[in-house]
Amino acid sequence: MSVSLEQLRRCHFAVDLGAARTRVYVKGAGLVVDQPSVAAVNVRSGSLIAVGDFAEQMTGRTPDYIRVVRPISGGTVVDIDMAQRMLRHLMGDKMRRALRRKARLRAAACTPHDADPLAQRATIETLLGLGARRVELVDTLIAAAVGCGLPVERPEATMIMVCGAAATQVAVLSLGSIVTAQRIPVGGEAVDHAIVQYLRHTHELLLPSQSVRPLQLALSGNGLTPQGPPRTEINGRDVATGLPRTVRVDTSAVREAIQTPLTAVLDGIGKVLRECPPDLVADLADRGIIMVGGSALLPGFDQMVREATGMPVFIAERPDLCAARGLGEMLEGRIEPLVLDPLAA
């Protein structure tokens, strides 16, 4: 990790390409972009109509000639050209001109722990298209751990759980490296899908895509635990008639529907702990698990993990920004590299 830190200190900007949001950190300026990873395109002319917040508001509300696309899925760029166009507009002409003045412009980007070479290459190509001459890749787990202040360089165990939109990554870190990790293909989108399917099958109600988050917030208080509010009203469209309809939903049943996809996350945590050396597991019994990522804010998710593992569970401050903040810490040179020199004979 010491070599990577030296290379990262030479980078001028860093990008956290998430399935839900894209964040850009510029050295010396801080976080300059924090917008949804969404773009709206005119399919007739191919022109870009909107990006970020405005494009997300257009989801499900567009005429036939406008298509809302997400060029990033699960931390992997699936449409390089569209991702480049989206990033150009999000950064703006002024910021891009300032970066282009840098000699040998360097960039850094987060990639999922088990990203294959093709996925890594797609991320590199996206940033090369923005003018970068060299791109450094950082494991999302390392960046998030640095961003939430975990002592990753020390010879002690720290466990981090990155709860993303498309996947959840769990890892145990020690001495600046990943000891063992798992990527579970279940994230906030799976929870949204479980809620939509429950309402469709049980209440014959089609829920608008932008109403899923408010429903999750309706479970807040104690969230996934039985102490949450007993019932809540939901507006949607009747499956049979197509007319608008309001139903009163039993929140305990919704919580059960949410828990079904999250069991895979609990299985992944158990697998990581089983593969971890006993000495490090003993450290974790006291230090617990740190949750980062936007889906870490799902009401009651931390309590669910706490009950399943018997370990302390904490949600980082501003968990959605941890990975971008960690990249920034590395770019600014605030992280001291761990140097393990060989002993003299």
Side-chain angles (χ1 to χ4, degrees):
M1 186 173 172
S2 58
V3 177
S4 298
L5 281 175
E6 290 300 324
Q7 293 171 348
L8 286 168
R9 287 174 179 172
R10 300 173 189 154
C11 293
H12 301 96
F13 72 102
V15 181
D16 177 19
L17 294 168
R21 299 184 75 86
T22 291
R23 298 176 174 91
V24 179
Y25 186 101
V26 175
K27 192 173 185 176
L31 192 66
V32 297
V33 173
D34 182 5
Q35 293 277 338
S37 305
V38 187
V41 185
N42 185 323
V43 295
R44 296 173 182 170
S45 63
S47 59
L48 203 61
I49 296 175
V51 295
D53 286 323
F54 188 39
E56 187 173 54
Q57 293 171 12
M58 297 169 68
T59 303
R61 304 171 186 268
T62 59
D64 292 340
Y65 68 92
I66 297 177
R67 185 163 56 98
V68 177
V69 297
R70 293 181 177 271
I72 302 159
S73 176
T76 300
V77 177
V78 294
D79 187 335
I80 295 175
D81 178 64
M82 187 56 64
Q84 289 175 350
R85 295 171 68 186
M86 181 187 74
L87 273 171
R88 288 193 193 103
H89 283 79
L90 288 176
M91 295 176 69
D93 292 337
K94 183 178 179 181
M95 182 59 66
R96 287 189 292 113
R97 280 197 298 268
L99 288 174
R100 279 201 298 266
R101 297 192 191 103
K102 307 287 185 182
R104 293 193 59 82
L105 181 64
R106 291 174 177 244
C110 284
T111 56
H113 172 64
D114 61 349
D116 58 60
L118 287 177
Q120 294 178 357
R121 189 64 199 170
T123 301
I124 292 172
E125 290 290 340
T126 300
L127 297 187
L128 290 177
L130 294 177
R133 300 289 296 275
R134 182 184 175 113
V135 180
E136 305 291 345
L137 298 181
V138 182
D139 195 303
T140 301
L141 291 163
I142 297 290
V146 171
C148 65
L150 289 179
V152 294
E153 298 291 353
R154 298 179 187 172
E156 57 189 42
T158 53
M159 190 168 186
I160 189 167
M161 185 172 165
V162 180
C163 310
T168 300
Q169 300 177 73
V170 185
V172 174
L173 311 175
S174 181
L175 291 172
S177 300
I178 296 172
V179 178
T180 179
Q182 283 288 320
R183 184 174 184 270
I184 306 105
V186 174
E189 293 175 354
V191 173
D192 295 349
H193 182 72
I195 293 174
V196 170
Q197 291 302 309
Y198 165 77
L199 291 173
R200 182 185 181 97
H201 295 148
T202 306
H203 297 278
E204 297 184 345
L205 191 76
L206 287 176
L207 189 67
S209 58
Q210 296 185 4
S211 297
V212 177
R213 288 298 172 193
L215 175 56
Q216 291 181 6
L217 294 177
L219 303 177
S220 61
N222 289 304
L224 301 180
T225 64
Q227 290 77 33
R231 301 182 74 83
T232 186
E233 287 191 353
I234 300 297
N235 299 317
R237 189 181 76 183
D238 189 280
V239 172
T241 66
L243 299 175
R245 183 160 64 93
T246 300
V247 298
R248 289 185 63 81
V249 177
D250 183 359
T251 54
S252 64
V254 176
R255 283 191 288 270
E256 185 177 345
I258 289 175
Q259 286 178 337
T260 301
L262 294 181
T263 53
V265 176
L266 301 181
D267 292 341
I269 295 173
K271 186 173 182 181
V272 168
L273 291 173
R274 287 193 297 272
E275 294 177 354
C276 189
D279 290 343
L280 294 182
V281 174
D283 290 345
L284 297 174
D286 297 326
R287 296 186 179 89
I289 305 172
I290 303 295
M291 295 177 64
V292 302
S295 298
L297 297 173
L298 177 66
F301 191 14
D302 57 332
Q303 179 65 22
M304 183 179 176
V305 175
R306 190 177 295 114
E307 292 176 355
T309 62
M311 297 166 56
V313 178
F314 309 96
I315 299 177
E317 183 181 354
R318 291 304 307 270
D320 51 331
L321 295 180
C322 284
R325 199 158 49 197
L327 285 173
E329 293 285 312
M330 296 178 191
L331 260 63
E332 303 288 0
R334 300 189 186 119
I335 306 300
E336 289 299 323
L338 177 69
V339 180
L340 298 175
D341 293 326
L343 298 175

